[in-house]
Amino acid sequence: MLEILKNITDRLPGLVSEANFEGANIVLYTKNENFFVEGETRIKNIVNDIKKRIELRADTKILIDKEIVEKKIKEIVPEEAEITDILFDLHRSIVTIEAKKPGLVIGKQGSILDEIKRQTLWAPQVQRSAAIKSKITDNIRSVLYAKNRDRRKFLHEVGEKIYSGWTQEKSTGWARLTVLGGGRQVGRSCFLLQTENSKILLDCGIDVASSGEDKFPVFNIPEFDISQIDAVILSHAHLDHSGLLPYLYKMGYKGPTYMTAPTRDISSLLAMDFIGVSYKQASAPLFSSTDVSEMVKKTICLNYGEVTDVTPDVRITLYNAGHVLGSAQVHINIGNGSHNFVYSGDMKYGKTRLLDQAVNKFPRVESIQIESTYGGKNDVLPSRKDTEEKFLSMVKETIEKGGKVLLPELGLGHAQETLLRVEEAIRTGELPNVPMYVDGMIWDINAIHTAYPDFLSSNIRNQIFQDNNPFTSTVFKRVGSPHERKEVIEGGPCIVIATSGMLVGGASVEYMKHFAENENNLLILSCYQGPGSVGRQLQEGARKITIEEEGTTKTLDVNMRVELVNGLSPHSGRNELMNYVRNMNPRPKRIIVNHGEVSKSLDLASSLYKANRVETTVPRGLETLRLR
Ligand SMILES: [Zn+2]
Ligand SMILES: [Zn+2]
């Protein structure tokens, strides 16, 4: 047993039947009922000494039978809480109570949970039931609970690695960062962070608009050895950050990946969809659903603000990035504070309907990575108000002419922002009451939003808490099958929102085939359009496009109206990027600019330098920067 666990059990003689790690947390099991119910003070004293989280649970041998526990929980929790499910993780002595009103399960200062704990000896956890049911969250749960003995073993091994060689001393060692993808480009984001003791991947993306080797981060270099990667950290679920992660597991990665719970759910969903799209394009998928479940089993979820060690000399904390549901900026403390690097991923320093704006106050920062998708000096985004007005007036005009509106969107982010705006416009009479069809995956992603109101903007969160959940509005109609899709295509005026955002594969292409030739219809492009994509061609004025159809190609005349609207981007515009750094606290000493087309990244870097007089760099793919 590792030193740290031995020290703890020695301080609690005869009371601990087993001491385990769950990642960086420590879990003690006891067969002593009294100690389990009343041992909190003694545990707190130890926590104060070692500065690590310790949780006390009852040994599985003294646990009360599941049926009795279910009955007791239903007696203790008031009926208004509306319990929808009770799940048991037998190997970790945890019972998860899923309810529509989780606050009522917790009780005042946790009083109801305490009562459950006392009467059942299980460790109770509470989860909000999603307002919209989603198959993917059910699947994820079944993956996590099906083999929870393996999960317990895995979490323990992660902890053993973290604590072997763990110290509270400040390190004097080096740290460096290598760009494996996403340098001077958008797509395949991936950094390798190395210290004397750790190798960590930050994001593992795929460039969906590229082909061949250029799709993937560059792994074919001597310093990348999959068996030596200690941890992966995902900033958010977009494929250009998460897309290759299941493949990493397929290739033999066995360690943990850290991310928020919504990112876990959405990245799994996007990965499953990615497999489906590959089949439709008649190409062999890169990975299978088995690899996706492997990823889920190896995921460790963190909340914003939760500090955790991931290796002996690296500690991370996630902060809201304001970009999409669950998106995080990763504050990375290297060598007990000898260097602090913020990987801000993709972020929005501005409020949206959906999310609060990105955090830019950190305990300490020496260097920061910053995206530059809209970093060029001409990328000042129009105001939200103007953008929304322009958007609504175009949609209204089209509907009044009897046309249909097609909104190709990334499944996650801008799509939800648009949905919320349309819902409000129809509710308040700004738009005629036409159906808004939500095709396939976007619906599932909406469902995931309803399960995590704590990650949404305070405004939307309050609406949900007051039973006015905008995501469950009757304005939205789900399209889930080819038959339903045909009805939409043949039906009257409507708004259709579908993936892919760049019209590369996915449902949006299916609608495009039928909508393109009618001049009464409207296409609004609003997300980033990668070079070479159909969306980019249209954005640049092309009115004849070639699309793929079951392995062959087809040419389409585009007579429909094509418009660009990008004021509602989930990325920061030029001014927001400049303001983020200007108002940042503390000021970084170095800014690493990536995730943008070359000219935009360079332009942002030179402007940031002029405005702040701090070192800026725009590394190319494969360049390595020394952090300390
Ligand atoms: Zn993103
Ligand atoms: Zn991105």
Side-chain angles (χ1 to χ4, degrees):
M1 202 192 322
L2 274 167
E3 193 73 12
I4 186 161
L5 294 184
K6 199 175 166 302
N7 284 344
I8 296 168
T9 42
D10 285 351
R11 287 177 64 172
L12 300 163
L15 291 171
V16 177
S17 59
E18 204 171 349
N20 260 336
F21 295 115
E22 283 191 357
N25 296 339
I26 292 161
V27 181
L28 306 178
Y29 292 89
T30 182
K31 287 181 186 162
N32 185 317
E33 244 175 76
N34 267 339
F35 178 61
F36 174 65
V37 178
E38 278 154 23
E40 213 162 290
T41 333
R42 290 181 73 178
I43 298 290
K44 260 189 197 144
N45 291 338
I46 303 176
V47 170
N48 284 340
D49 290 350
I50 63 165
K51 308 270 180 287
K52 291 283 133 202
R53 209 158 354 156
I54 302 179
E55 202 185 323
L56 182 62
R57 296 195 199 133
D59 193 291
T60 51
K61 296 202 178 59
I62 64 163
L63 288 178
I64 291 174
D65 215 49
K66 287 188 207 171
E67 279 92 70
I68 303 171
V69 174
E70 269 199 49
K71 239 178 87 194
K72 286 202 174 197
I73 288 174
K74 285 179 182 158
E75 277 165 24
I76 300 168
V77 176
E79 212 167 310
E80 304 87 88
E82 295 182 69
I83 294 179
T84 49
D85 211 349
I86 298 176
L87 297 143
F88 294 91
D89 186 339
L90 182 63
H91 296 282
R92 293 160 68 207
S93 310
I94 296 172
V95 59
T96 303
I97 304 162
E98 204 186 78
K100 290 195 181 158
K101 307 247 159 61
L104 297 176
V105 183
I106 297 166
K108 268 208 181 92
Q109 283 152 353
S111 57
I112 293 182
L113 284 187
D114 282 345
E115 191 56 33
I116 293 171
K117 185 177 152 184
R118 236 189 320 271
Q119 287 198 32
T120 67
L121 304 180
W122 286 74
Q125 288 183 353
V126 190
Q127 209 169 289
R128 174 178 296 273
S129 337
I132 305 174
K133 273 269 160 209
S134 140
K135 241 197 276 165
I136 190 84
T137 33
D138 287 349
N139 284 345
I140 287 171
R141 239 166 37 182
S142 67
V143 165
L144 286 177
Y145 287 94
K147 288 208 172 149
N148 45 24
R149 190 196 295 271
D150 295 354
R151 173 89 177 156
R152 171 172 154 156
K153 190 164 161 261
F154 166 71
L155 291 172
H156 182 63
E157 286 164 0
V158 170
E160 280 182 326
K161 270 185 83 178
I162 294 170
Y163 285 101
S164 57
W166 181 79
T167 141
Q168 281 174 310
E169 305 284 301
K170 225 175 178 160
S171 120
T172 52
W174 52 266
R176 54 186 197 174
L177 191 66
T178 305
V179 182
L180 301 185
R184 302 190 174 203
Q185 64 169 180
V186 178
R188 55 166 170 172
S189 277
C190 188
F191 278 111
L192 174 65
L193 172 70
Q194 297 180 82
T195 72
E196 283 179 340
N197 293 309
S198 316
K199 282 181 193 262
I200 294 170
L201 278 191
L202 303 171
D203 283 340
C204 192
I206 198 164
D207 186 357
V208 282
S210 274
S211 54
E213 290 278 290
D214 289 346
K215 259 182 138 66
F216 315 117
V218 185
F219 291 137
N220 190 18
I221 49 169
E223 58 267 51
F224 181 87
D225 175 349
I226 205 162
S227 67
Q228 285 181 18
I229 300 294
D230 300 297
V232 180
I233 304 164
L234 276 202
S235 64
H236 66 289
H238 278 151
L239 286 177
D240 61 321
H241 300 257
S242 74
L244 211 60
L245 185 57
Y247 184 72
L248 213 61
Y249 283 102
K250 179 180 174 177
M251 296 315 286
Y253 175 57
K254 294 198 164 43
T257 302
Y258 296 86
M259 63 185 95
T260 62
T263 297
R264 175 196 61 194
D265 294 6
I266 300 169
S267 57
S268 317
L269 176 67
L270 295 183
M272 295 305 291
D273 183 69
F274 186 71
I275 296 174
V277 170
S278 304
Y279 277 121
K280 273 189 209 124
Q281 292 173 339
S283 59
L286 270 175
F287 46 80
S288 69
S289 58
T290 319
D291 305 312
V292 180
S293 31
E294 193 58 24
M295 167 182 99
V296 169
K297 283 183 212 160
K298 303 276 160 81
T299 293
I300 297 179
C301 292
L302 299 174
N303 282 318
Y304 295 145
E306 192 179 331
V307 183
T308 193
D309 291 286
V310 296
T311 65
D313 64 349
V314 174
R315 186 178 306 147
I316 64 166
T317 316
L318 305 184
Y319 290 87
N320 175 31
H323 173 59
V324 294
L325 182 75
S327 64
Q329 308 179 76
V330 192
H331 181 274
I332 305 171
N333 171 325
I334 301 164
N336 285 307
S338 67
H339 189 88
N340 295 273
F341 168 55
V342 171
Y343 176 60
S344 70
D346 292 0
M347 55 87 177
K348 175 76 169 178
Y349 188 60
K351 228 182 128 33
T352 60
R353 271 166 205 278
L354 194 66
L355 304 167
D356 292 331
Q357 81 173 16
V359 169
N360 64 346
K361 311 274 182 280
F362 302 97
R364 279 188 57 189
V365 184
E366 278 79 35
S367 55
I368 182 170
Q369 162 275 337
I370 196 163
E371 64 143 313
S372 52
T373 319
Y374 295 110
K377 54 178 162 301
N378 300 324
D379 292 327
V380 175
L381 300 176
S383 79
R384 194 169 84 168
K385 192 166 158 281
D386 292 352
T387 309
E388 290 188 338
E389 273 168 18
K390 180 179 164 201
F391 170 81
L392 290 177
S393 85
M394 288 190 304
V395 171
K396 198 169 169 208
E397 232 177 283
T398 305
I399 290 166
E400 283 168 354
K401 275 195 296 191
K404 296 186 173 84
V405 181
L406 177 59
L407 310 171
E409 294 271 12
L410 280 174
L412 169 65
H414 189 265
Q416 283 74 31
E417 190 71 14
T418 308
L419 285 161
L420 293 177
R421 186 64 192 102
V422 170
E423 187 271 333
E424 191 187 293
I426 292 178
R427 179 160 39 87
T428 58
E430 287 171 271
L431 275 184
N433 193 358
V434 292
M436 179 166 201
Y437 292 107
V438 181
D439 201 302
M441 193 181 53
I442 296 181
W443 184 274
D444 293 305
I445 293 179
N446 290 350
I448 296 171
H449 280 68
T450 67
Y452 298 104
D454 291 341
F455 285 83
L456 297 170
S457 69
S458 46
N459 185 19
I460 298 296
R461 193 163 59 223
N462 288 339
Q463 284 188 46
I464 292 176
F465 290 164
Q466 287 158 14
D467 280 334
N468 275 326
N469 191 334
F471 287 105
T472 57
S473 161
T474 52
V475 166
F476 306 133
K477 313 273 182 228
R478 176 182 205 174
V479 182
S481 67
H483 172 72
E484 286 169 341
R485 200 172 282 163
K486 192 158 166 271
E487 282 179 4
V488 175
I489 289 165
E490 290 168 357
C494 62
I495 305 166
V496 177
I497 188 163
T499 55
S500 105
M502 300 185 200
L503 291 162
V504 180
S508 61
V509 178
E510 297 305 310
Y511 290 103
M512 190 63 191
K513 282 182 204 162
H514 297 277
F515 291 1
E517 285 172 359
N518 184 339
E519 60 190 28
N520 284 335
N521 293 340
L522 166 67
L523 174 76
I524 299 181
L525 296 170
S526 40
C527 58
Y528 172 79
Q529 304 296 325
S533 65
V534 172
R536 181 65 162 259
Q537 292 163 29
L538 289 164
Q539 185 185 326
E540 288 169 350
R543 289 301 173 262
K544 220 183 225 334
I545 52 166
T546 309
I547 49 169
E548 277 185 41
E549 191 170 35
E550 279 145 19
T552 65
T553 56
K554 188 179 168 183
T555 309
L556 275 182
D557 286 314
V558 181
N559 304 323
M560 75 197 296
R561 182 177 173 192
V562 178
E563 292 285 347
L564 310 177
V565 173
N566 59 10
L568 298 177
S569 173
H571 292 276
S572 297
R574 160 76 171 208
N575 289 346
E576 290 165 332
L577 291 166
M578 294 298 290
N579 290 341
Y580 176 95
V581 174
R582 192 179 55 215
N583 302 332
M584 195 174 163
N585 191 3
R587 277 294 179 89
K589 296 189 177 72
R590 190 206 260 186
I591 303 172
I592 299 156
V593 180
N594 76 335
H595 198 288
E597 287 165 24
V598 183
S599 61
K600 297 181 192 261
S601 303
L602 292 172
D603 190 40
L604 179 68
S606 85
S607 305
L608 284 173
Y609 171 71
K610 282 183 202 139
N612 304 286
R613 295 288 151 187
V614 292
E615 185 189 342
T616 57
T617 44
V618 188
R620 295 172 174 81
L622 286 187
E623 273 185 276
T624 297
L625 308 171
R626 182 168 176 183
L627 296 179
R628 79 171 305 273

PDB file of all heavy atoms in Angstrom, residues 236 238 240-241 323 346 571, ligand 1:
ATOM      1  N   HIS A 236     -13.388  20.805 -24.432  1.00  0.00           N
ATOM      2  CA  HIS A 236     -14.817  20.734 -24.734  1.00  0.00           C
ATOM      3  C   HIS A 236     -15.083  19.711 -25.824  1.00  0.00           C
ATOM      4  O   HIS A 236     -14.152  19.121 -26.361  1.00  0.00           O
ATOM      5  CB  HIS A 236     -15.375  22.111 -25.092  1.00  0.00           C
ATOM      6  CG  HIS A 236     -14.842  22.695 -26.365  1.00  0.00           C
ATOM      7  ND1 HIS A 236     -13.546  23.155 -26.490  1.00  0.00           N
ATOM      8  CD2 HIS A 236     -15.418  22.893 -27.572  1.00  0.00           C
ATOM      9  CE1 HIS A 236     -13.358  23.621 -27.721  1.00  0.00           C
ATOM     10  NE2 HIS A 236     -14.477  23.468 -28.410  1.00  0.00           N
ATOM     11  N   HIS A 238     -16.429  19.755 -28.981  1.00  0.00           N
ATOM     12  CA  HIS A 238     -16.353  19.909 -30.436  1.00  0.00           C
ATOM     13  C   HIS A 238     -15.320  18.938 -31.015  1.00  0.00           C
ATOM     14  O   HIS A 238     -14.262  18.726 -30.417  1.00  0.00           O
ATOM     15  CB  HIS A 238     -15.967  21.345 -30.815  1.00  0.00           C
ATOM     16  CG  HIS A 238     -17.130  22.290 -30.798  1.00  0.00           C
ATOM     17  ND1 HIS A 238     -16.995  23.623 -30.519  1.00  0.00           N
ATOM     18  CD2 HIS A 238     -18.448  22.086 -31.056  1.00  0.00           C
ATOM     19  CE1 HIS A 238     -18.182  24.202 -30.583  1.00  0.00           C
ATOM     20  NE2 HIS A 238     -19.078  23.290 -30.900  1.00  0.00           N
ATOM     21  N   ASP A 240     -13.144  19.141 -33.272  1.00  0.00           N
ATOM     22  CA  ASP A 240     -11.764  19.604 -33.494  1.00  0.00           C
ATOM     23  C   ASP A 240     -10.950  19.588 -32.197  1.00  0.00           C
ATOM     24  O   ASP A 240      -9.755  19.880 -32.192  1.00  0.00           O
ATOM     25  CB  ASP A 240     -11.719  20.983 -34.191  1.00  0.00           C
ATOM     26  CG  ASP A 240     -12.373  22.091 -33.400  1.00  0.00           C
ATOM     27  OD1 ASP A 240     -13.428  21.840 -32.783  1.00  0.00           O
ATOM     28  OD2 ASP A 240     -11.842  23.222 -33.394  1.00  0.00           O
ATOM     29  N   HIS A 241     -11.587  19.216 -31.092  1.00  0.00           N
ATOM     30  CA  HIS A 241     -10.884  19.074 -29.809  1.00  0.00           C
ATOM     31  C   HIS A 241     -10.995  17.662 -29.231  1.00  0.00           C
ATOM     32  O   HIS A 241     -10.145  17.238 -28.465  1.00  0.00           O
ATOM     33  CB  HIS A 241     -11.412  20.096 -28.794  1.00  0.00           C
ATOM     34  CG  HIS A 241     -11.209  21.495 -29.264  1.00  0.00           C
ATOM     35  ND1 HIS A 241     -10.219  22.315 -28.784  1.00  0.00           N
ATOM     36  CD2 HIS A 241     -11.846  22.210 -30.227  1.00  0.00           C
ATOM     37  CE1 HIS A 241     -10.258  23.478 -29.417  1.00  0.00           C
ATOM     38  NE2 HIS A 241     -11.237  23.433 -30.298  1.00  0.00           N
ATOM     39  N   HIS A 323     -18.038  28.977 -24.018  1.00  0.00           N
ATOM     40  CA  HIS A 323     -18.040  28.643 -25.446  1.00  0.00           C
ATOM     41  C   HIS A 323     -19.214  27.729 -25.814  1.00  0.00           C
ATOM     42  O   HIS A 323     -20.029  28.073 -26.658  1.00  0.00           O
ATOM     43  CB  HIS A 323     -16.678  28.017 -25.762  1.00  0.00           C
ATOM     44  CG  HIS A 323     -16.526  27.452 -27.131  1.00  0.00           C
ATOM     45  ND1 HIS A 323     -16.679  28.216 -28.260  1.00  0.00           N
ATOM     46  CD2 HIS A 323     -16.195  26.191 -27.555  1.00  0.00           C
ATOM     47  CE1 HIS A 323     -16.461  27.433 -29.325  1.00  0.00           C
ATOM     48  NE2 HIS A 323     -16.174  26.219 -28.916  1.00  0.00           N
ATOM     49  N   ASP A 346     -11.227  26.959 -26.643  1.00  0.00           N
ATOM     50  CA  ASP A 346     -12.069  27.907 -27.376  1.00  0.00           C
ATOM     51  C   ASP A 346     -12.866  28.647 -26.315  1.00  0.00           C
ATOM     52  O   ASP A 346     -13.370  28.023 -25.396  1.00  0.00           O
ATOM     53  CB  ASP A 346     -13.059  27.180 -28.287  1.00  0.00           C
ATOM     54  CG  ASP A 346     -12.365  26.472 -29.450  1.00  0.00           C
ATOM     55  OD1 ASP A 346     -11.136  26.560 -29.539  1.00  0.00           O
ATOM     56  OD2 ASP A 346     -13.079  25.837 -30.247  1.00  0.00           O
ATOM     57  N   HIS A 571     -17.538  31.769 -30.349  1.00  0.00           N
ATOM     58  CA  HIS A 571     -16.128  32.173 -30.192  1.00  0.00           C
ATOM     59  C   HIS A 571     -16.085  33.667 -29.886  1.00  0.00           C
ATOM     60  O   HIS A 571     -16.961  34.421 -30.279  1.00  0.00           O
ATOM     61  CB  HIS A 571     -15.351  31.942 -31.489  1.00  0.00           C
ATOM     62  CG  HIS A 571     -15.188  30.505 -31.835  1.00  0.00           C
ATOM     63  ND1 HIS A 571     -14.186  29.722 -31.317  1.00  0.00           N
ATOM     64  CD2 HIS A 571     -15.908  29.701 -32.641  1.00  0.00           C
ATOM     65  CE1 HIS A 571     -14.289  28.493 -31.798  1.00  0.00           C
ATOM     66  NE2 HIS A 571     -15.331  28.451 -32.604  1.00  0.00           N
TER      67      HIS A 571
HETATM   68 ZN    ZN B   1     -15.153  24.711 -30.059  1.00  0.00          ZN
END
